[in-house]
Amino acid sequence: MESKKFILQERDIPTAWYNVMAEMPTKPHPMLNPGTKQPLKAEDLYPLFSKEASNQEFNMDDKWIEIPDEVREMYKIWRPTPLVRARGLEKALGTKAHIYFKNESVSPVGSHKLNSAIAQAYYCKKEGVTNITTETGAGQWGAALSMAAKHFGLDLAVYMVKVSYNQKPYRRSIMQTYGAEVIASPSMSTKAGRKIITDHPNYQGSLGTAISEAVELAMSTPNCKYVLGSVLNHVALHQTVIGLEAEKQMEMAGEYPDVVIGCFGGGSNFSGISFPFMRHNFSGDKNTRFIAAEPASCPKLTKGELRYDFGDEAGYTPLIPMYTLGHNFSPANIHAGGLRYHGAGAVVSQLRSEGMIDAVDIPQLETFEAATLFARSEGIIPAPESSHAIAAAIREAKKANEEGTAPVILFNLSGHGLIDMAAYDQYLAGDLTNYEVPDAEIKANTEGLQGLN
Ligand SMILES: *Cc1c(COP(=O)(O)O)cnc(C)c1O
């Protein structure tokens, strides 16, 4: 009988995260203080983030960063996650390509987000912080952090993008069940929120706005830190457990990926599956292709500009060197809420500018078609975000069919979609549409942003 799943033991959970910055041929550009335009140092972030997260953010030297025992203990609840050969999908596609997926949907909250939530909550606790705050789009990050905060005895306030708050009420219930306070964003509880509600009373929110609100709360509340679920280097670092496990599991399968794919919101799950494999590209041993799959309605890597931009709507954050659609960009209300973010992290942006990373943008209907095929052939209903990776994998397999090749394709299944059934309902009823961003809108949004030197 041929193997379907490749399973590791608890002792195989990685003991260190892989820090890609230590090995990048060209380091990412520094974040800048928006006032002085001077490069930031780790200390500059201490008021906002935990010290350890701030230090990791700037660590260009250590290739391996130890995972604390308390974090590994928590990882044991669901890690290592399975690597699965998608034989059902291969058959449905009639392809000779070998398709594998790393199943991060088996975490208690249903996504990869817990890998970083636990680490960040742990560092806050260790440093004597009592309150933390964050934003969430579709609610995946908020759910993960709610669980982590409760475990380490921290109080958590989550600003949830209003469109998702209404579309995904069960994610709100999940956060509340873990004991978090959830506020629809934009809200009247912050200056940033009040301003945008006054200017645009019907605004349905964006991750950029929710970040502004959470940052404002953290800066105005004693002993409160802000925690971010994507985009930043330390978040990508924590997610490398995904790729490190997958590397061992591909070895068990006797294969090595020709193509590695992740869906792309701010870059954390894509980085997590990719960077550990990329280190063999750096050393010249392998020549794997890395594909970031983003929505056609929010195409920062395929259509955005490489600029210094804010990470949030109101302009509270440092300036980040990123492929961006502009921090004022307001994405369409697609169901892949976790991919509705205007920019890409600094490391991914640098690697993309050097041609180390490919990107594709995929229309919403194609992602649901892929998701449905995957559900019917593999039995797992994927998150709308993850469906972008599946759609990209299917494109690769179809291309291989045309070319008569048989590549090994690995993608990350970042989460399941069992709390997103309203989106599937709409798709099955024929009520979903595609959205594209006009080039003129991107140009108008990014004009005036500072370039990189
Ligand atoms: C948040 C989320 C994403 C997008 O975030 P990244 O930081 O780009 O990984 C993708 N998939 C799922 C299931 C998510 O919850």
Side-chain angles (χ1 to χ4, degrees):
M1 223 174 67
E2 285 174 316
S3 296
K4 170 95 180 147
K5 278 202 307 302
F6 300 89
I7 305 283
L8 297 169
Q9 305 299 315
E10 276 179 11
R11 62 169 182 272
D12 300 315
I13 296 174
T15 53
W17 294 298
Y18 171 63
N19 179 19
V20 72
M21 289 193 288
E23 294 201 304
M24 284 168 70
T26 311
K27 304 298 177 202
H29 290 256
M31 285 194 271
L32 302 182
N33 176 317
T36 64
K37 300 282 162 73
Q38 290 305 305
L40 290 184
K41 295 191 292 293
E43 298 85 88
D44 298 320
L45 295 186
Y46 289 176
L48 191 56
F49 296 102
S50 69
K51 286 201 176 87
E52 188 58 39
S54 306
N55 293 342
Q56 289 174 356
E57 190 61 27
F58 289 86
N59 188 331
M60 309 262 170
D61 303 318
D62 300 315
K63 179 174 163 185
W64 299 102
I65 295 179
E66 196 184 318
I67 304 177
D69 285 343
E70 291 83 348
V71 173
R72 279 187 92 233
E73 271 313 303
M74 280 287 277
Y75 280 174
K76 283 183 191 169
I77 294 176
W78 80 103
R79 304 208 71 85
T81 64
L83 178 85
V84 183
R85 172 91 181 262
R87 293 184 186 274
L89 180 64
E90 288 172 16
K91 196 163 156 223
L93 294 169
T95 184
K96 290 200 173 63
H98 292 188
I99 306 177
Y100 293 84
F101 64 92
K102 178 72 168 158
N103 189 356
E104 289 294 304
S105 82
V106 299
S107 92
V109 296
S111 81
H112 69 287
K113 293 271 182 11
L114 211 44
N115 297 326
S116 184
I118 289 171
Q120 295 196 61
Y122 167 73
Y123 291 131
C124 285
K125 181 65 185 180
K126 199 175 142 208
E127 293 168 23
V129 169
T130 54
N131 291 63
I132 56 177
T133 179
T134 195
E135 75 294 326
T136 194
Q140 298 269 29
W141 168 246
L145 194 62
S146 300
M147 183 199 164
K150 184 48 71 186
H151 179 82
F152 291 111
L154 301 163
D155 279 340
L156 167 65
V158 182
Y159 287 93
M160 183 173 189
V161 177
K162 198 174 273 173
V163 56
S164 299
Y165 188 92
N166 295 323
Q167 270 179 359
K168 306 183 189 230
Y170 292 136
R171 285 263 165 62
R172 173 175 48 71
S173 328
I174 291 171
M175 292 184 261
Q176 291 166 333
T177 300
Y178 285 123
E181 183 190 350
V182 188
I183 308 128
S185 167
S187 77
M188 296 299 280
S189 72
T190 62
K191 251 192 291 175
R194 285 193 294 277
K195 174 163 191 318
I196 199 144
I197 290 176
T198 313
D199 294 348
H200 310 279
N202 294 320
Y203 188 54
Q204 288 303 294
S206 71
L207 277 172
T209 304
I211 294 174
S212 298
E213 292 205 89
V215 168
E216 190 181 320
L217 183 74
M219 296 304 280
S220 58
T221 309
N223 220 11
C224 178
K225 295 289 176 198
Y226 169 66
V227 180
L228 185 61
S230 185
V231 185
L232 295 179
N233 306 335
H234 65 274
V235 187
L237 172 76
H238 303 152
Q239 293 295 351
T240 57
V241 286
I242 302 173
L244 291 168
E245 286 180 5
E247 192 188 348
K248 288 189 192 166
Q249 289 162 308
M250 290 299 303
E251 226 172 273
M252 291 169 76
E255 306 221 64
Y256 192 90
D258 298 300
V259 185
V260 173
I261 300 171
C263 66
F264 200 95
S268 77
N269 91 89
F270 170 78
S271 302
I273 187 102
S274 298
F275 291 169
F277 289 99
M278 205 176 283
R279 74 187 204 276
H280 304 297
N281 279 27
F282 290 138
S283 66
D285 295 333
K286 299 286 181 191
N287 193 17
T288 299
R289 267 177 73 215
F290 300 93
I291 306 178
E294 54 185 15
S297 56
C298 198
K300 54 254 171 188
L301 288 172
T302 48
K303 304 221 173 88
E305 303 280 352
L306 186 56
R307 293 283 187 277
Y308 269 110
D309 198 5
F310 291 107
D312 69 321
E313 157 95 35
Y316 290 159
T317 70
L319 288 169
I320 304 172
M322 48 163 53
Y323 277 95
T324 179
L325 299 165
H327 62 279
N328 292 320
F329 177 73
S330 171
N333 293 341
I334 56 162
H335 283 281
L339 307 187
R340 293 174 76 246
Y341 184 70
H342 66 273
V347 166
V348 168
S349 292
Q350 178 63 33
L351 293 168
R352 166 92 178 127
S353 74
E354 290 170 24
M356 297 282 296
I357 289 172
D358 285 345
V360 291
D361 57 326
I362 304 183
Q364 176 160 253
L365 286 173
E366 183 180 337
T367 67
F368 275 89
E369 204 179 302
T372 309
L373 181 66
F374 185 75
R376 291 175 185 177
S377 55
E378 290 295 325
I380 300 171
I381 297 186
E385 291 86 359
S386 318
S387 306
H388 290 70
I390 301 172
I394 291 175
R395 282 188 185 183
E396 288 298 311
K398 286 184 172 164
K399 195 177 77 189
N401 289 357
E402 282 164 21
E403 293 169 352
T405 55
V408 177
I409 300 168
L410 167 66
F411 71 86
N412 189 41
L413 184 74
S414 54
H416 69 67
L418 291 176
I419 308 161
D420 301 283
M421 294 319 293
Y424 281 87
D425 265 354
Q426 279 192 12
Y427 171 69
L428 295 170
D431 288 342
L432 281 191
T433 46
N434 286 333
Y435 300 92
E436 276 208 44
V437 190
D439 290 342
E441 186 182 338
I442 297 171
K443 191 152 178 281
N445 265 313
T446 53
E447 235 162 31
L449 293 178
Q450 182 184 335
L452 276 54
N453 306 314

